[in-house]
Amino acid sequence: MQRRRPCNEDAASHSDAKQRLVMALRNRVIDEYAPVRTRRGYRYVDAERLTSLSSELVRQILEELAESGELSRRLVRSLASCPSCGSTELQLVIACNRCGSQRVKKGIIYQCLSCHNYLLKEDILGEGGLRCPKCGADKPHYVVMGKFYACLNCNSIPVEPTWRAICESCGSVFNQDETDTLELYSYSLDGRDRGEAIAEWALMTAADEISRLGYSLRINEELRGLSGVMHRFSGVVRDSSNDAVKLVLDIVSSDSGLDEQHALSFILKVKDVKAENSLLVVNSRMSAEARRIVESQKINLLVMKNLSTLPDRLKLLIGSILSKTSLRQRGLNYSARIP
Ligand SMILES: [Zn+2]
Ligand SMILES: [Zn+2]
Ligand SMILES: [Zn+2]
């Protein structure tokens, strides 16, 4: 009988969706995931199309990618939202600042010269033209004061109008102070080093596979050297059984590539942490001197060519370096094929 494993399947589609979203940005299929207003509220339609997942799940995944630093997020705008149900479908109404009533209207306001009361146009028409409805003066003189708001509930004229929002989905009425906000973000690779994002993505993708070999790969980890100085590496591979450091690696993806100085500082870090194995991943640019230094120090080297195959090549190379080490320790002579 086949047993369903919905949790694992969900987790797989979740990480698959993450990869797809990052890849589309990296390959410049999409510049950013921006919120789009639709009839069902704000949605990340590009991301939904790419992953075939629900709006809620896509929103959650984009947030997770921003939290882990794989994507950077930028606030587009804050929307006023209902404090009761969170809806952003709101209607603004004008209310009286004295009694709170919504029976407020804007119109031409007149003043009776006898009693100095303010009146609306409808007050002075018909009967009101013959007698002031406020003081009863006969044939009153009215002067135009201007266009103001008047409250028909408490008869205050003029009133300072205040805004109230009515939630169109739950009917709550609330003022500006009570309003919640919904922050809308766009997500992209911009705002941070693109190369760094690619390196992290490649390592994270390779990490799962490496864990199956009995090792753990931690990204962006600091190790204390014998000198007491902390050194940061793009990745540190440890033996899962005893936590011993087996390999340290740096991914150099800056446009300037790997120069002599960079190679030397990597060697110093490796020696200071007494790493058993080391690996430098570089893009194609590399000075001849840097290459000579790296090779003379028995540092493994991986030159990035095709980014989409980088995680696989990383996994294979790390696997082969580690299996060589463990065989060597058992006194066997074994030469692994390095991709
Ligand atoms: Zn009057
Ligand atoms: Zn009022
Ligand atoms: Zn509501």
Side-chain angles (χ1 to χ4, degrees), residues 279-312:
L279 168 64
L280 257 184
V281 182
V282 297
N283 59 14
S284 50
R285 277 188 231 190
M286 185 177 186
S287 72
E289 186 62 9
R291 183 181 280 273
R292 198 189 58 74
I293 292 168
V294 167
E295 283 169 356
S296 73
Q297 295 295 319
K298 298 201 165 46
I299 286 168
N300 294 283
L301 191 65
L302 179 64
V303 180
M304 285 188 232
K305 285 174 200 131
N306 182 346
L307 286 176
S308 61
T309 60
L310 181 60
D312 261 352

Side-chain angles (χ1 to χ4, degrees), residues 114-125:
S114 305
C115 65
H116 302 290
N117 276 310
Y118 296 110
L119 298 114
L120 287 164
K121 190 171 184 180
E122 52 259 45
D123 296 332
I124 63 165
L125 293 176

Side-chain angles (χ1 to χ4, degrees), residues 197-237:
I198 293 165
E200 275 182 26
W201 161 78
L203 287 177
M204 266 190 255
T205 311
D208 273 358
E209 293 288 328
I210 288 166
S211 72
R212 267 171 228 149
L213 303 173
Y215 300 98
S216 68
L217 167 59
R218 287 185 216 151
I219 296 159
N220 251 327
E221 193 166 74
E222 278 193 328
L223 293 179
R224 187 178 296 282
L226 295 173
S227 65
V229 174
M230 297 299 287
H231 300 291
R232 183 171 289 282
F233 291 94
S234 303
V236 174
V237 179

Side-chain angles (χ1 to χ4, degrees), residues 82 84-87 167 169-172:
C82 170
S84 306
C85 75
S87 170
C167 173
S169 81
C170 77
S172 294

